[in-house]
Amino acid sequence: MAALLLVSMLTHPIERAFAQTIPNTINRATAEYTSLPAGSNSPIQNSTISNPIEHNVTLPLIDPSGRLLGCDGEALDSYAGFSMALYETDSSGLLPSQLVNLSPTIGDDSIPPNTANINPFPLSSEGTYNFLLDETQGQTNAGTNYILVIAPPENSPFSERRILIEMLGVTRVDALSSAVLSYRATSLDGQPISVDGETEVSRSIEIRDAEFQSLTLFELGVDSIVCEENQLSITKSADRSAAQPGDVIVYRLNVQSIAPVAVESVTAIDTLPVGFELIADSVSGQIGETVVDITTRHTGNDVRFVAGEPLEAGQTLDIIYAVRVTPDALRGSGRNSALITARRTDSQFRLQDGPSFHRTTLDPGILSDCGTLIGRVFEDKNFDGEQQPGEAGIPNAVIFLDDGNRIVTDADGLFSVQKMLPGQRTGTLDLSSLPGYTLAPNLNFIERNSHSRLVNLAPGGLVRMNFGVTPSFSEVQE
């Protein structure tokens, strides 16, 4: 009689992976038995080992799939012409470079709707899509970044969207456990990527049986949402195109809601030009014929107007305010800009339009920012730098200014220049125009012992520039 015991054992553990064929699953059988030879009373123990049996194990691909929704979080009326594409990033990490080379799928690896795993993928009628990433190609390695580009059809009211997807890696507790894919998704256009208004989300998703697990971008935390480009508009106008210091200009900001739903937190930000001062009690607002409260916040040249009421779809808000033009405005350009922001009441998406510009031509009127330079060249007998009685002016002396102008003194040694630009101005006395004279030493101010003078000319101001000279004598011959 013989007893037979068969034991099956694995010489290597099974390692779970995705989108790869692993030729390391080896099965071997061991058998032990007892036999009693004929004519013998002593049993013999025997054992044997079978040949190893090796087979390949194909495991499923990781499946980040999703659905495209509208700005209100609902399905679009039509997805015709929309496409989704997954790009590698360029050296900056913020721009798409080339399409990700995805592994083609057929048979059991196919997962609808993108059964062939093509890239880019035209959206189905339900707005769903999916891309399968191959772990053996390093496509799920930590530090690998992608940019998901949502392309609307041509002549569409929707704008293109870009979402940065940063792979944080795949982890496993042990060889037979399920895999967990971690990633971070960040909006690159400033618009939210979820109906909750988030612009960045981080998630860890368990990937066990991707072919049976329906994952949407909402479940992954990467909500894929597109909005119409023009949902809000602003136009800036004024009651005059030209002004002088002292004038009052009345501005009007016309804000129109083009969104299909009401918008709230309507805020206009106007950057006033240099020298334009807001008249605080002049601010008013109205929606249609209804007066609304406008809260004003003033920081530097920026004026923020906040409407106290939401704007319904198709409504128009007018914000009217006045500014006073000061003499300081002549230093500026007279150009100001305004932009408008708001939030949709359904999804809290932030809307913006602008800036809208208006330019006012500035006329100095009786005011001028130019200044006047006056001076004299005289014989300085006591070397104090100032003309005293008995110190005659020197005619025909030449002074060169820093702007290249050449000035000649009159019969009394006087000169003047009007409409000079303000600032630091310099003048240099040309001693070659004064034969027999040299620069007089100044006993009071060392800086005046130079052929040049530096003066500060204020806007609309008057400044003096004097030069003292003295006769030059040659050595007496005995």
Side-chain angles (χ1 to χ4, degrees):
M1 176 181 291
L4 179 64
L5 176 63
L6 181 63
V7 179
S8 179
M9 56 184 295
L10 295 177
T11 59
H12 298 282
I14 298 178
E15 295 184 2
R16 185 171 180 82
F18 296 85
Q20 58 180 321
T21 299
I22 306 177
N24 65 345
T25 304
I26 304 174
N27 190 285
R28 192 188 300 269
T30 300
E32 295 181 356
Y33 62 93
T34 303
S35 64
L36 183 65
S40 175
N41 293 324
S42 300
I44 300 175
Q45 296 291 332
N46 297 279
S47 64
T48 183
I49 299 177
S50 68
N51 293 329
I53 301 175
E54 182 176 316
H55 64 280
N56 297 329
V57 177
T58 301
L59 297 171
L61 297 167
I62 292 177
D63 175 22
S65 59
R67 187 182 185 193
L68 181 65
L69 299 175
C71 202
D72 55 359
E74 301 294 332
L76 300 178
D77 294 335
S78 174
Y79 290 97
F82 280 93
S83 66
M84 315 293 293
L86 199 62
Y87 285 86
E88 296 178 358
T89 61
D90 67 353
S91 57
S92 70
L94 299 176
L95 295 175
S97 59
Q98 60 184 9
L99 290 167
V100 177
N101 186 19
L102 299 178
S103 301
T105 54
I106 58 175
D108 294 339
D109 285 335
S110 297
I111 300 178
N114 190 3
T115 55
N117 204 23
I118 61 174
N119 185 25
F121 176 70
L123 287 188
S124 63
S125 58
E126 292 81 18
T128 57
Y129 62 96
N130 62 310
F131 296 121
L132 308 182
L133 302 180
D134 191 340
E135 190 179 35
T136 63
Q137 302 299 321
Q139 293 178 345
T140 60
N141 290 349
T144 303
N145 295 341
Y146 303 109
I147 294 181
L148 179 66
V149 177
I150 306 169
E154 292 185 5
N155 301 321
S156 169
F158 299 100
S159 56
E160 180 186 272
R161 296 223 53 196
R162 295 182 179 182
I163 300 173
L164 175 65
I165 300 178
E166 304 171 75
M167 290 295 166
L168 305 179
V170 177
T171 59
R172 297 176 177 81
V173 177
D174 53 54
L176 298 178
S177 69
S178 63
V180 175
L181 170 66
S182 299
Y183 70 93
R184 182 189 300 108
T186 306
S187 170
L188 293 180
D189 52 22
Q191 292 294 326
I193 53 179
S194 72
V195 293
D196 297 328
E198 296 176 303
T199 57
E200 178 178 303
V201 294
S202 296
R203 296 289 186 270
S204 296
I205 302 300
E206 183 178 3
I207 308 294
R208 179 182 294 274
D209 297 309
E211 69 271 30
F212 301 114
Q213 186 176 1
S214 176
L215 300 178
T216 69
L217 287 182
F218 274 33
E219 294 174 88
L220 291 170
V222 187
D223 301 347
S224 189
I225 299 174
V226 291
C227 297
E228 297 85 349
E229 286 186 301
N230 300 319
Q231 300 189 65
L232 204 63
S233 70
I234 183 172
T235 304
K236 183 179 179 65
S237 59
D239 66 340
R240 61 178 63 197
S241 60
Q244 297 179 356
D247 288 343
V248 173
I249 303 176
V250 178
Y251 285 114
R252 178 186 296 269
L253 299 179
N254 181 268
V255 180
Q256 184 176 4
S257 172
I258 312 174
V261 297
V263 297
E264 59 187 3
S265 301
V266 182
T267 303
I269 304 173
D270 192 350
T271 302
L272 298 177
V274 174
F276 283 45
E277 295 181 349
L278 175 70
I279 302 175
D281 57 1
S282 68
V283 181
S284 64
Q286 59 183 49
I287 299 177
E289 301 297 329
T290 304
V291 176
V292 297
D293 292 332
I294 302 294
T295 302
T296 305
R297 302 171 187 169
H298 201 172
T299 305
N301 287 346
D302 291 337
V303 183
R304 186 182 297 263
F305 305 99
V306 182
E309 299 291 336
L311 268 179
E312 299 295 332
Q315 283 189 329
T316 298
L317 166 67
D318 286 309
I319 301 175
I320 303 170
Y321 57 98
V323 299
R324 181 177 290 106
V325 182
T326 70
D328 200 33
L330 298 175
R331 298 190 300 110
S333 63
R335 180 177 181 265
N336 65 332
S337 62
L339 58 85
I340 188 72
T341 64
R343 291 189 180 276
R344 290 175 58 122
T345 54
D346 56 353
S347 61
Q348 290 300 302
F349 276 18
R350 183 175 179 271
L351 308 178
Q352 178 175 317
D353 187 52
S356 178
F357 299 99
H358 183 275
R359 189 183 191 95
T360 301
T361 301
L362 297 174
D363 180 3
I366 63 173
L367 298 178
S368 175
D369 63 347
C370 294
T372 301
L373 174 67
I374 63 173
R376 68 182 66 200
V377 179
F378 63 97
E379 182 180 352
D380 190 3
K381 295 181 179 181
N382 60 353
F383 308 135
D384 66 349
E386 302 296 335
Q387 188 180 31
Q388 308 295 338
E391 296 180 340
I394 307 299
N396 301 319
V398 175
I399 297 96
F400 287 100
L401 301 180
D402 59 278
D403 57 6
N405 283 326
R406 178 178 181 272
I407 310 300
V408 180
T409 60
D410 64 10
D412 296 321
L414 298 174
F415 67 92
S416 65
V417 182
Q418 296 179 337
K419 296 185 178 179
M420 288 192 67
L421 293 177
Q424 291 187 333
R425 309 308 302 268
T426 59
T428 302
L429 176 64
D430 182 10
L431 287 176
S432 64
S433 65
L434 297 174
Y437 287 92
T438 187
L439 189 69
N442 194 299
L443 302 179
N444 298 325
F445 301 98
I446 297 176
E447 68 272 12
R448 295 185 185 177
N449 290 308
S450 169
H451 297 175
S452 299
R453 297 287 184 269
L454 173 67
V455 295
N456 290 312
L457 181 59
L462 176 71
V463 71
R464 185 175 60 175
M465 182 183 292
N466 289 346
F467 295 90
V469 297
T470 187
S472 58
F473 299 96
S474 60
E475 185 176 352
V476 178
Q477 300 291 333
E478 292 184 357

